[in-house]
């Protein structure tokens, strides 16, 4: 199994795209986790660069919208096909809404399965606040209804939603780990989806919890023969990144934090 460590574009939209791609390649990333640029010229820059440097991409479906469920579903499927254009390692999807019914969210997951059957591209549904997998309790019911429901494990949202390190969700976590095909390696804590800096000793307890979950995801994917497991170092910019009052300066450097995670994960999972 190949592990590809990816950088998010999130937080660096102000940079020219090629400048950012050079930055992550030089820093030692294997690729990028991003949405499809709306501008066709930017699309070509992205696709050509990735091909030239043999870098991976996970594309990001997060823009589905609509005033009715029918319109949302149509937008969701349209966006999946747009995300398929560069031949991604997989598609990370912000699927559904937390206020949709179980049946409506299941309909979207089933539609994604049909898309995967046609294209051969896995759709991993991110465990994200406001979406179909916003909490362990919500996702457990969906797991019971769809055996092929794969996820992007971003457990930072769950620790925040449940105000816990998920001690009371052992069975659900066991199932979530088995279904994880992508990791967003952001460390959250009981009151928020992102610790300020995972290198700080006061956050060691949270980092250890997350590393334990990721260890199990990596081991399971090796066991079942997953060809590629992408891991995105997804620490975000403000307001995910806390800021100093009055100055509005971030308390840590986003890219530096993500590079710390990249190096930690590469040493842990990518060395013999």
């Amino acid at each position: 199994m190949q592990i590809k460590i990816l950088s998010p574009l999130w937080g660096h939209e102000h940079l020219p795209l090629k400048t950012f791609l050079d930055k992550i390649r030089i820093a030692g990333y294997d690729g990028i986790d991003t949405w499809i640029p709306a501008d066709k010229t930017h699309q070509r820059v992205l696709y050509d660069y990735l091909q030239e440097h043999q870098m991976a991409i996970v594309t990001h479906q997060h823009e589905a919208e609509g005033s009715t469920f029918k319109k949302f579903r149509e937008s969701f499927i349209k966006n999946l096909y747009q995300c398929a254009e560069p031949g991604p390692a997989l598609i990370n999807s912000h699927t559904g809404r937390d206020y949709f019914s179980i049946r409506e969210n299941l309909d979207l997951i089933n539609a994604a399965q049909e898309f995967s059957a046609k294209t051969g591209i896995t759709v991993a549904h991110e465990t994200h606040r406001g979406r179909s997998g916003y909490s362990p309790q919500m996702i457990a019911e969906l797991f019971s209804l769809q055996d092929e429901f794969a996820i992007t494990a971003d457990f930072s949202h769950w620790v925040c939603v449940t105000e816990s390190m998920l001690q009371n969700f052992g069975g659900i976590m066991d199932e979530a780990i088995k279904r994880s095909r992508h990791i967003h390696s952001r460390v959250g804590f009981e009151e928020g989806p992102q610790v300020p800096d995972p290198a700080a000793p006061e956050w060691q307890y949270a980092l250890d919890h997350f590393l334990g979950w990721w260890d199990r995801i990596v081991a399971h994917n090796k066991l079942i023969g997953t060809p590629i497991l992408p891991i995105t170092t997804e620490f975000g910019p403000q307001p995910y990144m806390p800021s100093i009052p009055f100055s509005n300066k971030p308390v840590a450097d986003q890219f530096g934090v993500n590079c710390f995670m990249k190096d930690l994960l590469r040493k842990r999972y990518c060395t013999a």
Side-chain angles (χ1 to χ4, degrees), residues 86-136:
L90 57 75
I91 295 171
N92 176 71
S93 180
H94 281 208
T95 302
R97 302 286 191 195
D98 55 3
Y99 55 82
F100 285 172
S101 70
I102 285 289
R103 288 295 166 186
E104 287 171 333
N105 280 317
L106 181 63
D107 187 19
L108 296 172
I109 293 164
N110 288 338
Q113 285 303 116
E114 293 174 9
F115 162 86
S116 294
K118 291 177 182 177
T119 63
I121 299 171
T122 296
V123 179
H125 306 271
E126 186 176 347
T127 58
H128 200 288
R129 289 169 298 158
R131 301 296 182 173
S132 61
Y134 75 94
S135 72

Side-chain angles (χ1 to χ4, degrees), residues 192-236:
Q194 179 170 306
V195 302
D197 191 331
E202 60 267 31
W203 297 113
Q204 186 68 47
Y205 83 95
L207 178 60
D208 288 345
H209 271 92
F210 279 79
L211 287 170
W213 294 322
W214 302 336
D215 287 350
R216 293 171 62 195
I217 291 171
V218 170
H220 182 74
N221 279 275
K222 285 182 178 178
L223 179 66
I224 65 174
T226 300
I228 298 175
L229 178 66
I231 304 178
T232 303
T233 59
E234 217 215 9
F235 277 77

Side-chain angles (χ1 to χ4, degrees), residues 20-270:
F20 182 66
L21 291 168
D22 283 339
K23 183 175 183 175
I24 65 172
R25 179 177 58 81
I26 292 167
Y29 277 99
D30 299 316
I32 190 168
D33 180 338
T34 187
W35 53 91
I36 300 294
D39 184 277
K40 293 293 184 183
T41 301
H42 291 166
Q43 287 181 21
R44 185 46 50 203
V45 169
L46 176 62
Y47 301 163
D48 287 351
Y49 192 99
L50 295 174
Q51 184 174 27
E52 178 184 355
H53 295 284
Q54 296 296 294
M55 296 176 76
I57 184 171
V58 162
T59 50
H60 196 89
Q61 189 300 116
H62 69 287
E63 295 180 318
E65 59 184 1
S67 57
T68 66
F69 177 75
K70 180 180 178 182
K71 290 180 179 178
F72 187 98
R73 188 182 191 278
E74 290 170 353
S75 175
F76 175 72
I77 295 171
K78 178 182 177 182
N79 286 346
L80 288 180
Y81 278 97
Q82 289 174 339
C83 286
E85 289 176 3
L90 57 75
I91 295 171
N92 176 71
S93 180
H94 281 208
T95 302
R97 302 286 191 195
D98 55 3
Y99 55 82
F100 285 172
S101 70
I102 285 289
R103 288 295 166 186
E104 287 171 333
N105 280 317
L106 181 63
D107 187 19
L108 296 172
I109 293 164
N110 288 338
Q113 285 303 116
E114 293 174 9
F115 162 86
S116 294
K118 291 177 182 177
T119 63
I121 299 171
T122 296
V123 179
H125 306 271
E126 186 176 347
T127 58
H128 200 288
R129 289 169 298 158
R131 301 296 182 173
S132 61
Y134 75 94
S135 72
Q137 304 93 314
M138 177 74 163
I139 213 165
E141 188 167 0
L142 291 168
F143 284 164
S144 72
L145 296 169
Q146 171 52 272
D147 291 339
E148 302 301 316
F149 177 23
I151 66 171
T152 291
D154 192 341
F155 298 142
S156 69
H157 293 283
W158 284 2
V159 301
C160 177
V161 167
T162 64
E163 291 192 301
S164 74
M165 281 295 164
L166 305 174
Q167 298 93 330
N168 297 320
F169 299 96
I172 298 171
M173 289 301 294
D174 289 346
E175 188 64 22
I177 284 163
K178 292 176 183 176
R179 291 173 181 256
S180 295
R181 299 294 174 266
H182 180 205
I183 296 170
H184 274 181
S185 61
R186 186 173 62 246
V187 177
F189 65 110
E190 295 90 335
E191 303 302 335
Q194 179 170 306
V195 302
D197 191 331
E202 60 267 31
W203 297 113
Q204 186 68 47
Y205 83 95
L207 178 60
D208 288 345
H209 271 92
F210 279 79
L211 287 170
W213 294 322
W214 302 336
D215 287 350
R216 293 171 62 195
I217 291 171
V218 170
H220 182 74
N221 279 275
K222 285 182 178 178
L223 179 66
I224 65 174
T226 300
I228 298 175
L229 178 66
I231 304 178
T232 303
T233 59
E234 217 215 9
F235 277 77
Q238 294 167 292
Y240 267 68
M241 176 67 70
S243 58
I244 300 170
F246 302 105
S247 73
N248 202 35
K249 293 180 180 178
V251 300
D253 175 69
Q254 180 202 1
F255 193 72
V257 167
N258 279 327
C259 284
F260 165 81
M261 290 302 302
K262 167 184 60 68
D263 295 341
L264 185 156
L265 297 171
R266 192 173 299 287
K267 182 178 180 180
R268 195 175 185 93
Y269 300 131
C270 303

